[in-house]
Amino acid sequence: NNRGFLEKAVRDSRKKYRQARITSQQLLQEEDNFLSNSIQLINTRRELLQLMLDYFSLFTETPCPLSEVKI
């Protein structure tokens, strides 16, 4: 939800910048917020995947529908 909100805020800020209603610094701040949030989301997903891989490498004998998925 937050990513969608920030994406909309960046679009609105770009429009305002083209109309000379905000400064380039304000536009850069909005874009920085959006990109920081995107990086944070990627890191969270990476950590989750790493946690799952660690779990499945330790508990190889425990039946689980996720561990039976063929990729």
Side-chain angles (χ1 to χ4, degrees):
N1 290 342
N2 193 31
R3 186 178 190 280
F5 172 75
L6 290 172
E7 191 173 10
K8 183 182 181 314
V10 167
R11 278 196 313 266
D12 291 345
S13 291
R14 287 178 182 161
K15 182 179 177 182
K16 289 177 184 178
Y17 178 74
R18 284 191 304 272
Q19 296 171 347
R21 293 171 45 201
I22 62 171
T23 66
S24 60
Q25 290 290 47
Q26 291 168 317
L27 175 61
L28 287 174
Q29 183 63 42
E30 287 291 335
E31 290 177 341
D32 186 51
N33 289 341
F34 173 72
L35 293 174
S36 293
N37 181 264
S38 296
I39 290 171
Q40 185 179 18
L41 182 61
I42 290 169
N43 285 334
T44 301
R45 289 177 177 169
R46 182 191 56 79
E47 289 173 9
L48 179 63
L49 288 172
Q50 186 63 50
L51 180 69
M52 290 176 66
L53 288 173
D54 290 345
Y55 176 84
F56 290 133
S57 67
L58 289 175
F59 300 103
T60 57
E61 303 301 318
T62 305
C64 174
L66 286 175
S67 63
E68 297 172 5
V69 173
K70 302 292 185 213
I71 298 177

